[in-house]
Amino acid sequence: VYRHRKMKHEFDEIRAINEMLNSYQEDRAATSAVQNDEKDDKSCMTVRQNGNQELIFAPESLIYVESVANYAEVCYLCDQEIKKISLRSTLKQLKESLSTHVYIIQCHRGFIVNLNFVEKLQCENNSYFLNLFYVDKKIPVSRTKKADIKAALAALQHK
C-alpha cells in the first residue's frame, strides 16, 4: 500500500511538471509570435578555448551541455541546425557563466539543460529523463534536481 501511494504521488508530480512545461511552452509560443526576435550583444556568450578559439552564441539557443571528464560538450541551435562542440571547460565554469539566465538549469550532475527546449519529463524504470525538442537524446534528471526543475518552471511562469 505504501509503495502504491508513493508511486501515485510521483506520477502526480510528473504530471504536474509536464502540465507546467506545456503551459510554459504555450506562453513562449504566444509571446514569440507577438515580439520580434531582436538580438542584442548582451545576450551572447563567449567561451575561450586554448587562448585562440571562441564560441559565440545566444544563450537562448543553447539546448544542453554534457560533462565529459574535463570537457563540456555543448549542443546548441545555430541557423536552424543543431551543432555540437567540445570545449575544454568544466560544467561548473559554464554553469557560472550562464547563471544569470533562469531558464538554464542543472538537471543532473553531468548535465545542464535549457528549459525552453524541454518537451516533457518522463519516468522509466524508476529513473527520470527529459525529452527535448530537436534532440533524440534523453537527458537524465536526478531525484534531487527534479524539485529544482519544478521551482524554476514555477518562477518562469510567474514572470
Side-chain angles (χ1 to χ4, degrees), residues 147-159:
D148 294 345
I149 292 172
K150 188 174 182 180
L153 284 169
L156 286 171
Q157 284 184 333
H158 293 298
K159 276 191 155 186

Side-chain angles (χ1 to χ4, degrees), residues 133-147:
F133 294 116
Y134 308 116
V135 181
D136 291 334
K137 184 172 189 158
K138 291 183 181 180
I139 307 296
V141 176
S142 66
R143 293 184 189 281
T144 56
K145 299 290 185 179
K146 184 175 72 166

Side-chain angles (χ1 to χ4, degrees), residues 83-104:
K83 297 187 178 186
K84 290 184 182 181
I85 188 168
S86 292
L87 299 174
R88 186 155 173 84
S89 178
T90 63
L91 197 68
K92 184 177 180 179
Q93 292 169 338
L94 286 174
K95 183 181 174 189
E96 288 172 1
S97 68
L98 295 166
S99 63
T100 58
H101 305 284
V102 294
Y103 51 86
I104 297 175

Side-chain angles (χ1 to χ4, degrees), residues 59-78:
E60 293 85 21
S61 66
L62 175 77
I63 299 175
Y64 71 88
V65 180
E66 180 179 3
S67 175
V68 182
N70 285 334
Y71 291 87
E73 185 176 286
V74 179
C75 179
Y76 62 100
L77 194 62
C78 183

